[in-house]
């Protein structure tokens, strides 16, 4: 799983215990653990300026429609991070539960990684994995 890869998970497990369909972006990968962030196309008082939105109620990164491979305006949610086991993701890919969607450009994923590292909600372990995976 490389940073910048975007996947669609038909059975994404949210922190609140719910499951559902969700697009997520890989921010970093190390030792079989992928750090990912979910996306949303719902504005809900989020900023509309391209890039890092650290002053919004919930830390995010905004990608306007047509700025990358997303079909709609999209916010990468950087107020909660998910640690996915690479083996479990691979199994889900083989069974068709998770499917690749696209890859963000190196310049965009690096901006998102830098923005994620500014988040107050990132753990030390998650920060370390993203730091080790920074795209040039």
């Amino acid at each position: 799983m490389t940073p910048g890869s975007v996947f669609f998970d038909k059975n994404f497990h949210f922190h609140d215990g719910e499951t559902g369909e969700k697009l997520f972006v890989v921010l970093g990968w190390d030792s079989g653990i992928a750090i990912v962030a979910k996306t949303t196309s719902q504005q809900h008082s989020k900023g509309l300026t391209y890039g890092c939105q650290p002053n919004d109620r919930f830390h995010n990164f905004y990608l306007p429609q047509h700025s990358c491979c997303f079909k709609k305006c999209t916010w990468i949610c950087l107020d909660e991070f998910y640690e996915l086991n690479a083996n479990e993701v691979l199994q889900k890919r083989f069974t068709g539960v998770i499917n690749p969607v696209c890859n963000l450009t190196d310049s965009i994923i690096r901006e998102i990684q830098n923005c994620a590292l500014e988040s107050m909600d990132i753990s030390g372990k998650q920060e370390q994995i993203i730091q080790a995976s920074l795209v040039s």
Side-chain angles (χ1 to χ4, degrees):
M1 299 185 75
T2 58
S5 298
V6 179
F7 292 92
F8 176 72
D9 188 340
K10 296 177 188 173
N11 195 23
F12 190 85
H13 295 282
F14 298 94
H15 289 311
D16 65 4
E18 296 290 321
T19 58
E21 296 181 339
K22 185 53 66 180
L23 285 173
F24 67 85
V25 177
V26 177
L27 302 175
W29 185 89
D30 188 44
S31 302
I33 300 292
I35 305 302
V36 305
K38 64 185 181 179
T39 69
T40 185
S41 60
Q42 303 299 312
Q43 183 183 3
H44 298 299
S45 302
K46 294 179 196 74
L48 291 171
T49 302
Y50 172 89
C52 195
Q53 307 288 325
N55 297 322
D56 282 358
R57 182 170 176 221
F58 298 107
H59 194 99
N60 69 83
F61 191 96
Y62 176 61
L63 293 165
Q65 186 176 20
H66 305 299
S67 64
C68 65
C69 57
F70 292 118
K71 294 178 182 173
K72 297 180 179 181
C73 295
T74 300
W75 290 263
I76 312 298
C77 304
L78 300 175
D79 60 317
E80 51 183 357
F81 299 90
Y82 293 83
E83 297 178 21
L84 304 182
N85 178 292
N87 290 331
E88 292 174 13
V89 171
L90 189 59
Q91 288 296 335
K92 283 183 161 186
R93 284 192 66 191
F94 284 140
T95 60
V97 175
I98 290 179
N99 294 299
V101 174
C102 64
N103 291 307
L104 299 175
T105 65
D106 286 351
S107 61
I108 290 175
I109 191 57
R110 179 60 187 259
E111 288 181 83
I112 296 169
Q113 287 174 319
N114 289 337
C115 186
L117 293 171
E118 295 175 18
S119 176
M120 300 297 285
D121 299 299
I122 194 167
S123 74
K125 176 184 175 184
Q126 294 163 343
E127 183 177 352
Q128 190 175 38
I129 290 172
I130 293 172
Q131 284 280 4
S133 304
L134 288 175
V135 174
S136 326

